[in-house]
Amino acid sequence: MMSDNRVHEIIIELENVPSGIQNHPSPTQIMRDKPLANSAFSMVSSTSDIHVTDSLIFSHRNDKKHNQLLEFSTSLKEPISQTLRSPECLGIDTACTFHETVQGQKLITSLIPMTSRERIKTIRNQPRTMEEKRKLRNIVDKEKSKQSHHTLQLKCCAQYLNSISRGYRRSKNSLSDLLSSISLWQKALKVIGGKFGTSVLSYFNFLRWLLKFNIFSFALNFSFIIIPQLTVAERNTLQFTGLEFLTGAGYFTKTVMYYGFYTNSTIRHRSSGPSYDMQLAYIFTIGAWLIACFFSLLYSMAKYFRNSFINPHIYSRGIAKFIFCWDFTVTHEKAVKLKQKNLSTEIRENLSEILQENVKFTFRQQLACFSAHVAAWLVSAGVAAACCVAVYYLAEYNSEFLRTHRDPGAVLLLPFVVSCINLIVPRFYSMFGLVERYEMPRHEVYTLLIRNIFLKISVIGILCYSWLNIVALSDEECWETFIGQEIYRLLLMDFVFSLADSFLGEFLRRIIGMRFITSLGLQEFDIARNVLELIYAQTLVWIGIFFCPLLPLIQMITLFIMFYVKYISLMRNFQPPSKAWRASQMITVFIFLLFFPSFTGVLCTLAITVWRLKPSANCGPFRGVPLFIQSIYLWIDTLRKRSGYTWVVWIYQNLISSVHFFFILTIIVLIITYLYWQITEGRKVMIRLLHEQIINEGKDKMFLIEKLTKLQDMEKRAKPSTLILERRETEQQGPLHLGECDATPDLRFRRSVQEDNLKA
Amino acid sequence: MGSKQTVFTHEQLEEYQDCTFFTRKEIMRLFYRYQDLAPQLVPLDYTSCPAVKVPYQLIGSMPELKDNPFRQRIAQVFSEDGDGHMTLDNFLDMFSVMSEMAPRDLKAYYAFKIYDFNNDDYICAWDLEQTVTRLTRGELSAEEVSLVCEKVLDEADGDHDGRLSLEDFQNMILRAPDFLSTFHIRI
C-alpha cells in the first residue's frame, strides 16, 4: 500500500508540470468536479498499486523530462476517471474537495494578496463548478478578514480604501444593471443571430455601436452649445414650408441647426451672474469631442486587434477551423440545417483544395488571370476618377447653376448625383467578380473592399476640397451654414436612397429570385457594402459637426430607422450566408477603417478650417475674428493680463504651442514603439522555437515507445511464462481507448519487473 | 421582478455575482427561465438551497439549445454527474461560460470538454468523427469523414501523438479568432 508521503510526492511532481497560462489547469486537473485528492490516489493505489509504483519509479528516473510526467498523468487519469465515474465514489465524503488539495491551497494563497477586483476576476475565470468557486471565495474572504484583524493599526487606511473600492464596485454593478436594462434591441439581435449567425450580427452590432457614439456626441453638443444658444435665441422671421426637411435651407437656416445662428457674444443673464463665452464654448466643445472620439476609437481598435491578431503569420487554410468554430448563436431550426449543409459543402471544397494543391496553372492561364486583374483595376480606377471629376465640376459650377435655376429643389442635384454614384458603382465593382478569378475567396473580399473604399474616399475628398477651397473663399453670405446645409442634404439623400434600396431593390430581387429566375434563389446579406455605407455616413457627420451642431441628432434618428428597415428587409428578403465569414477579423478591419482614413481625414479637414480659413463676417460665433483659432489666442491674451491664471498661460506657451515639447513627445513615443516592436519580434521567434520543441518532444516520445515495444517483444520471446501474468494485469485496468496507452502500462510494468530482477 | 426579491438571500446573490459574469438582474432573469422549464419542480424560494435538478429532456428543449447539434454534450459537461440533469448552479455556470464576457481560455477549456466525447481528456480520432458527424448531419460519406479527421489531426496535433491535448486545442483556437464570437449562446 502507498504511504501518504509517497502520495504527496506524486502530487508535488505534478505541480512542477509547467502549465502555459496562469490559472489554467494542468492536464491532471481536468477532472474538475470530482475529488482529485488523497482519497482518489489511495483508491488508485488499491486497484493497481504496482501500476502506481512503477509510475513513480518511472518519474523518479526521469524527473526533469515533462513528457514522462505527462505519460504518468495519462496513465493515472485512466483509472481515476473510471473510479470516479463509478457510482460508489459519489458517496465519498466531499471533505477532500478542490480547495483542500495542494493546488487549491496554492490558489487560495495567491488570491489573498490580490485586490478584490482581481480576485473576483480570477475566481470567475476558474474552470470549476459553482460550488467550488463559492467555497474558494468564502475561504479567501475568511482568510482575508482574519489577516486584517491582525494588522489593524497599520492598515487602517487600507481598510478605508477597501470599503471605498467595495462601494465603488457595488455602484458599478448597479450602473451596469441599469445600462443592460436599457440596452437597445437585445431581442432583435438575438433573433438575427439565431437565424443568420454571427457574421450578419456583426453588422447590426456595428450599427448599434455607431448609434451609441452619436448619442454621446449629441449629448455633449446639446449641453454645451445648443442649450446656451437656445436661451438667447432670436426670433425666426422666415417662413416654414415643408421643403425644408429635404433641402435643409429656408426656415432651418435661422435655427440652432446651423453654425450661422450662434451668437458670438458672451452670454450673461444677470448683470453680475456667471458669463458664458460662446466662442470659446464652441471651439472647446468641438475640441473635447474630437479628443474623446479619438481615444474611444483607439481603445476599440486596440481591443479588437488584441483578440484577432494574436498569431497573424499562421492563419490556417486548414480544415480545423470549420470543425471547432461551429456557430453556437444560430438557434433557428431551418438555419441550423442550412448551416450544416453549407458546412458540408465547404468541407468538401476544402478537401478538394488540399488534394489539388499541387495543380499549377499553365503559363497562358496565369497570364490571362494577371491581365484580367490589371484590366479590372484599371477600369475601377478609371471609373472612380471619372466620378470624382464629375463631382468636382458639379460642385464648382453649383453656385452658377443655382443662380440660373431659381427652383428650390435645384440644390438637390449634387447630392442626388453623389448618391447615385454610391449606389451604382459598388454594384458595378461586384460584377468584376464574374471576370476575375482569385486564388482565395478572401482576396476577392479584400479587393472589393479596397475598391469601394477608394471610391468613397475620393468622393468625400473632392467634396471637402471644393467646400474648403471654393465655397469658403467665395462671397457667400454665410459659407459655414452653406456647407452645413450641403452636408445635411448629402446625408438625407443617402438615407432616402438606402430606404429605397431596402424597400424596392431588395424586395424586387426577392421576387425575381423566387418567381422568375428560381435558380438565383434568395440573396445574401452583403456585409462589407453595408458597413462601408455606415462608415461613409458617419464620416459625413463628423465633418459636419462643426458646421451643423445638430447633425448627430439627425444621424441618430437615421440609424434608428435604418436598423428597423434593415431588420425587416433581412427577415423577409435574405437567406443565411453560405460561406464562412471571418466576422471578428472583418470588424477589426472596419473599425480600423473608421479610424484611419475616416477620422484622420476629418481631423485634417477641421484643422484646415480652424487654422487657415476666415470665418464669415456676419454670422456665427466667430464673426469678427480673422481666423477661427484667433479666438483662443485672444483668450490667452486676456488671461495673461489677469493674475491667478498664469499657470494656464504657462501650459499653453510651453506645452501646447511649443514645438520642442511635441518633438520630444514624438521621439519618446517612437522609442517606445520601437522597443515594443522588437519585443514582439523576439516573442515570435520564441513561439517558433517552442513549437519546434513540442514537435521534438513528441518525436522523442514515439522513439522511446518504439524502443520499449522492441524490448518487450524481446522479453516476450525470452520468457513466455510471465505473459499470462501480464494479461491479467492489463485486463484489470479496464477498457482503454487508445492503443498507445494499452502499450505503455505494460511496458512500465515489464520494465519495473526487469529492474527488480536485476536488483535481485 | 421588483426591487425586493425573495428568491435568494443578499449573500447568495453576491456570491453568484462574484462567481459568474452576470449582473444581479441577469441572474434573476436566468433563474426565472430555469423555473419556467419545470414550474412544479423548481421552488420559488432558494434561500434554503434546495437540491433540485431539472432533467435533461427539459434543458434540451430550451429554444436556445433545442437545435444545437451539441446540446447533449453541453448539458453533460456542465451537469454535476455528467448525465445532463442540471441544478441551478450548473445552469448559471453553463450560461456564464457561454456568455460574451467569458475569456478565451475558459471557453477553450469547456469547448475541449464538449468535443471530448469519451471523457478521456484527449480529443482522439473517434471524438473527431463524432463531432464531424454531428456537424454535417450525415451529408459526408464515411471516407470523407475519416479524411477530415486525419487532416484535423495533421494540422492541430503538435506533439504528434495521434490525439489532441488541451494545449494543442488551445493553440489551434489561437489561430481562429472567430472562436470567441461563435462559442456564444445569447440568453
Side-chain angles (χ1 to χ4, degrees), chain A residues 144-158:
Chain A
K144 198 119 192 173
S145 58
K146 255 191 260 170
Q147 279 188 4
S148 65
H149 276 146
H150 293 312
T151 58
L152 193 56
Q153 302 100 323
L154 299 165
K155 303 278 171 109
C156 66
C157 60

Side-chain angles (χ1 to χ4, degrees), chain A residues 117-133:
Chain A
R117 194 165 143 256
E118 276 176 27
R119 203 182 320 140
I120 291 177
K121 195 167 156 207
T122 319
I123 292 181
R124 275 181 183 162
N125 291 349
Q126 285 294 311
R128 311 246 151 245
T129 54
M130 187 75 77
E131 214 183 290
E132 284 167 6
K133 282 193 275 196

Side-chain angles (χ1 to χ4, degrees), chain B residues 105-186:
Chain B
D105 291 335
L106 192 61
K107 288 197 185 212
Y109 173 81
Y110 280 105
F112 182 78
K113 286 193 77 175
I114 288 175
Y115 294 128
D116 180 16
F117 282 78
N118 50 14
N119 289 320
D120 61 352
D121 304 314
Y122 285 95
I123 295 182
C124 57
W126 184 77
D127 294 327
L128 282 174
E129 273 173 43
Q130 292 290 309
T131 310
V132 175
T133 321
R134 266 163 225 245
L135 281 177
T136 58
R137 240 170 165 259
E139 295 257 347
L140 295 180
S141 66
E143 305 94 57
E144 284 171 330
V145 170
S146 50
L147 193 59
V148 168
C149 297
E150 218 182 277
K151 292 280 165 242
V152 171
L153 284 174
D154 263 343
E155 278 172 27
D157 192 5
D159 51 2
H160 297 290
D161 58 355
R163 52 197 183 168
L164 299 179
S165 64
L166 181 59
E167 283 79 23
D168 293 330
F169 185 76
Q170 281 183 327
N171 197 26
M172 195 192 54
I173 288 297
L174 278 181
R175 301 188 226 158
D178 280 328
F179 175 73
L180 261 185
S181 51
T182 53
F183 196 74
H184 166 44
I185 294 182
R186 207 183 268 263

